[in-house]
Short mmCIF file of all heavy atoms in Angstrom, two decimals:
data_model
loop_
_atom_site.label_atom_id
_atom_site.label_comp_id
_atom_site.label_asym_id
_atom_site.label_seq_id
_atom_site.Cartn_x
_atom_site.Cartn_y
_atom_site.Cartn_z
N ARG A 38 19.20 13.12 -28.74
CA ARG A 38 18.13 13.41 -29.70
C ARG A 38 16.80 13.04 -29.10
O ARG A 38 16.66 12.03 -28.45
CB ARG A 38 18.35 12.52 -30.94
CG ARG A 38 19.14 13.22 -31.99
CD ARG A 38 19.08 12.49 -33.28
NE ARG A 38 18.97 11.07 -33.19
CZ ARG A 38 19.57 10.25 -34.02
NH1 ARG A 38 20.34 10.70 -34.95
NH2 ARG A 38 19.41 8.96 -33.92
N GLY A 42 7.31 12.31 -29.44
CA GLY A 42 6.53 12.84 -28.33
C GLY A 42 7.13 14.07 -27.71
O GLY A 42 6.68 14.55 -26.70
N LEU A 88 31.05 -15.81 -24.53
CA LEU A 88 30.54 -15.93 -25.89
C LEU A 88 31.54 -16.69 -26.78
O LEU A 88 31.16 -17.48 -27.65
CB LEU A 88 30.29 -14.52 -26.45
CG LEU A 88 29.30 -14.31 -27.59
CD1 LEU A 88 28.00 -15.04 -27.34
CD2 LEU A 88 29.04 -12.83 -27.78
N THR A 107 28.21 -25.43 -39.38
CA THR A 107 29.20 -25.32 -40.45
C THR A 107 30.15 -24.16 -40.12
O THR A 107 29.82 -23.29 -39.30
CB THR A 107 28.51 -25.02 -41.80
OG1 THR A 107 27.92 -23.72 -41.73
CG2 THR A 107 27.45 -26.06 -42.13
N TYR A 159 33.28 -2.31 -34.38
CA TYR A 159 31.89 -2.33 -33.92
C TYR A 159 30.93 -2.10 -35.09
O TYR A 159 29.84 -2.67 -35.13
CB TYR A 159 31.66 -1.26 -32.84
CG TYR A 159 32.00 -1.74 -31.45
CD1 TYR A 159 33.28 -1.59 -30.93
CD2 TYR A 159 31.04 -2.35 -30.65
CE1 TYR A 159 33.59 -2.04 -29.65
CE2 TYR A 159 31.34 -2.79 -29.37
CZ TYR A 159 32.61 -2.64 -28.87
OH TYR A 159 32.91 -3.08 -27.61
N SER A 204 24.32 -18.03 -15.62
CA SER A 204 23.91 -18.52 -16.94
C SER A 204 23.23 -17.41 -17.72
O SER A 204 22.32 -16.76 -17.21
CB SER A 204 22.94 -19.70 -16.78
OG SER A 204 23.61 -20.76 -16.15
N PRO A 214 27.77 -5.96 -26.94
CA PRO A 214 28.63 -4.98 -27.62
C PRO A 214 27.88 -3.73 -28.06
O PRO A 214 28.42 -2.63 -28.02
CB PRO A 214 29.17 -5.77 -28.83
CG PRO A 214 29.12 -7.20 -28.40
CD PRO A 214 27.88 -7.31 -27.56
N ASN A 257 23.10 4.82 -35.91
CA ASN A 257 21.65 4.95 -35.76
C ASN A 257 20.97 5.28 -37.08
O ASN A 257 19.93 4.74 -37.41
CB ASN A 257 21.31 6.02 -34.72
CG ASN A 257 21.51 5.49 -33.30
OD1 ASN A 257 21.49 4.30 -33.10
ND2 ASN A 257 21.72 6.39 -32.36
N LYS A 279 7.08 1.06 -31.18
CA LYS A 279 7.20 1.11 -29.72
C LYS A 279 6.67 -0.19 -29.16
O LYS A 279 5.73 -0.78 -29.70
CB LYS A 279 6.34 2.30 -29.20
CG LYS A 279 6.37 2.52 -27.69
CD LYS A 279 5.56 3.77 -27.33
CE LYS A 279 5.43 3.96 -25.83
NZ LYS A 279 6.72 4.19 -25.16
N ASP A 301 1.01 0.38 -38.51
CA ASP A 301 -0.40 0.38 -38.90
C ASP A 301 -1.30 -0.44 -37.98
O ASP A 301 -2.50 -0.57 -38.23
CB ASP A 301 -0.56 -0.11 -40.33
CG ASP A 301 -0.07 -1.55 -40.50
OD1 ASP A 301 0.62 -2.06 -39.58
OD2 ASP A 301 -0.36 -2.17 -41.54
N LEU A 303 -1.90 -1.99 -33.66
CA LEU A 303 -1.53 -2.19 -32.24
C LEU A 303 -1.85 -3.63 -31.88
O LEU A 303 -2.99 -4.08 -32.07
CB LEU A 303 -2.31 -1.23 -31.34
CG LEU A 303 -1.92 -1.27 -29.85
CD1 LEU A 303 -0.60 -0.53 -29.63
CD2 LEU A 303 -3.01 -0.66 -28.98
N LEU A 308 3.55 -13.74 -23.47
CA LEU A 308 4.53 -14.80 -23.76
C LEU A 308 3.90 -16.16 -23.47
O LEU A 308 3.29 -16.36 -22.42
CB LEU A 308 5.77 -14.63 -22.90
CG LEU A 308 6.95 -13.87 -23.51
CD1 LEU A 308 8.06 -13.73 -22.49
CD2 LEU A 308 7.49 -14.54 -24.76
N TYR A 412 -10.77 -1.69 -24.79
CA TYR A 412 -9.76 -2.36 -23.95
C TYR A 412 -9.23 -1.35 -22.94
O TYR A 412 -9.03 -0.17 -23.26
CB TYR A 412 -8.60 -2.88 -24.81
CG TYR A 412 -9.06 -3.86 -25.86
CD1 TYR A 412 -9.37 -3.43 -27.15
CD2 TYR A 412 -9.21 -5.22 -25.57
CE1 TYR A 412 -9.81 -4.31 -28.12
CE2 TYR A 412 -9.65 -6.11 -26.54
CZ TYR A 412 -9.95 -5.66 -27.81
OH TYR A 412 -10.39 -6.54 -28.77
N LYS A 525 5.73 31.59 -13.58
CA LYS A 525 6.92 31.64 -12.71
C LYS A 525 6.50 31.06 -11.35
O LYS A 525 5.95 31.76 -10.51
CB LYS A 525 7.42 33.08 -12.56
CG LYS A 525 8.04 33.65 -13.84
CD LYS A 525 8.57 35.06 -13.63
CE LYS A 525 9.35 35.55 -14.84
NZ LYS A 525 8.55 35.63 -16.07
N GLU A 529 9.65 25.03 -4.33
CA GLU A 529 10.63 24.00 -3.96
C GLU A 529 9.91 22.81 -3.33
O GLU A 529 8.99 22.97 -2.53
CB GLU A 529 11.64 24.58 -2.96
CG GLU A 529 12.73 23.58 -2.59
CD GLU A 529 13.67 24.11 -1.51
OE1 GLU A 529 13.80 25.34 -1.37
OE2 GLU A 529 14.25 23.27 -0.80
N THR A 552 -17.63 18.41 -16.99
CA THR A 552 -18.20 17.37 -17.87
C THR A 552 -17.10 16.45 -18.40
O THR A 552 -17.36 15.34 -18.83
CB THR A 552 -18.92 18.01 -19.08
OG1 THR A 552 -17.96 18.76 -19.84
CG2 THR A 552 -20.04 18.93 -18.61
N ASN A 555 -13.09 11.48 -16.48
CA ASN A 555 -12.76 10.13 -16.92
C ASN A 555 -13.58 9.15 -16.09
O ASN A 555 -13.42 9.06 -14.87
CB ASN A 555 -11.26 9.87 -16.72
CG ASN A 555 -10.82 8.57 -17.37
OD1 ASN A 555 -11.54 7.59 -17.38
ND2 ASN A 555 -9.61 8.58 -17.91
N ASP A 574 21.90 11.31 -12.02
CA ASP A 574 23.28 10.85 -11.93
C ASP A 574 23.83 11.20 -10.55
O ASP A 574 23.91 12.38 -10.20
CB ASP A 574 24.11 11.54 -13.02
CG ASP A 574 25.59 11.27 -12.88
OD1 ASP A 574 25.95 10.27 -12.24
OD2 ASP A 574 26.39 12.06 -13.42
N ILE A 593 8.43 23.81 -25.36
CA ILE A 593 8.33 24.48 -24.05
C ILE A 593 9.63 24.23 -23.30
O ILE A 593 10.17 23.12 -23.34
CB ILE A 593 7.13 23.91 -23.24
CG1 ILE A 593 5.83 24.14 -24.00
CG2 ILE A 593 7.07 24.53 -21.84
CD1 ILE A 593 4.70 23.24 -23.53
N GLN A 641 -3.22 23.79 15.48
CA GLN A 641 -3.64 24.67 14.38
C GLN A 641 -3.53 23.99 13.02
O GLN A 641 -4.41 24.11 12.18
CB GLN A 641 -2.82 25.96 14.40
CG GLN A 641 -3.17 26.91 15.53
CD GLN A 641 -4.67 27.20 15.63
OE1 GLN A 641 -5.26 27.07 16.69
NE2 GLN A 641 -5.29 27.57 14.53
N ARG A 658 0.95 13.14 1.61
CA ARG A 658 1.89 12.44 0.72
C ARG A 658 2.47 13.40 -0.31
O ARG A 658 3.66 13.38 -0.60
CB ARG A 658 1.21 11.27 0.02
CG ARG A 658 2.13 10.48 -0.91
CD ARG A 658 1.40 9.31 -1.56
NE ARG A 658 0.28 9.73 -2.37
CZ ARG A 658 0.38 10.23 -3.61
NH1 ARG A 658 1.57 10.39 -4.18
NH2 ARG A 658 -0.71 10.58 -4.30
N ARG A 711 14.74 6.83 24.15
CA ARG A 711 14.89 5.82 25.20
C ARG A 711 14.04 4.58 24.91
O ARG A 711 14.47 3.44 25.13
CB ARG A 711 14.46 6.43 26.54
CG ARG A 711 14.60 5.50 27.75
CD ARG A 711 14.24 6.23 29.04
NE ARG A 711 12.84 6.58 29.10
CZ ARG A 711 11.88 5.76 29.55
NH1 ARG A 711 12.18 4.55 29.98
NH2 ARG A 711 10.62 6.15 29.59
N ARG A 737 2.23 4.08 27.67
CA ARG A 737 2.08 4.60 29.04
C ARG A 737 3.40 5.13 29.60
O ARG A 737 3.42 6.01 30.45
CB ARG A 737 1.53 3.49 29.94
CG ARG A 737 1.04 3.96 31.30
CD ARG A 737 0.49 2.80 32.09
NE ARG A 737 1.49 1.75 32.28
CZ ARG A 737 2.46 1.80 33.20
NH1 ARG A 737 2.59 2.84 33.97
NH2 ARG A 737 3.32 0.81 33.31
N PHE A 747 0.68 12.50 20.84
CA PHE A 747 0.62 11.33 19.97
C PHE A 747 -0.82 10.85 19.80
O PHE A 747 -1.27 10.57 18.68
CB PHE A 747 1.49 10.20 20.53
CG PHE A 747 1.46 8.93 19.70
CD1 PHE A 747 1.98 8.91 18.42
CD2 PHE A 747 0.89 7.77 20.19
CE1 PHE A 747 1.94 7.76 17.63
CE2 PHE A 747 0.84 6.61 19.42
CZ PHE A 747 1.37 6.61 18.15
N GLU A 786 22.32 4.60 15.21
CA GLU A 786 23.50 3.79 15.55
C GLU A 786 24.02 3.11 14.29
O GLU A 786 23.27 2.62 13.47
CB GLU A 786 23.12 2.72 16.58
CG GLU A 786 22.72 3.31 17.93
CD GLU A 786 22.26 2.21 18.87
OE1 GLU A 786 22.56 1.04 18.61
OE2 GLU A 786 21.60 2.54 19.87
N HIS A 815 -5.56 0.12 15.91
CA HIS A 815 -6.03 -0.25 17.24
C HIS A 815 -7.33 0.50 17.56
O HIS A 815 -7.49 1.65 17.13
CB HIS A 815 -4.94 0.10 18.27
CG HIS A 815 -5.13 -0.58 19.59
ND1 HIS A 815 -6.00 -0.12 20.54
CD2 HIS A 815 -4.55 -1.70 20.11
CE1 HIS A 815 -5.94 -0.91 21.60
NE2 HIS A 815 -5.07 -1.88 21.37
#
Side-chain angles (χ1 to χ4, degrees):
R38 267 193 328 217
L88 203 47
T107 66
Y159 274 90
S204 296
N257 282 338
K279 182 177 174 63
D301 62 347
L303 185 76
L308 265 177
Y412 301 94
K525 290 183 172 61
E529 183 185 336
T552 62
N555 190 324
D574 172 21
I593 300 161
Q641 288 308 129
R658 181 179 61 79
R711 182 176 67 86
R737 192 179 59 79
F747 179 66
E786 294 176 18
H815 197 279

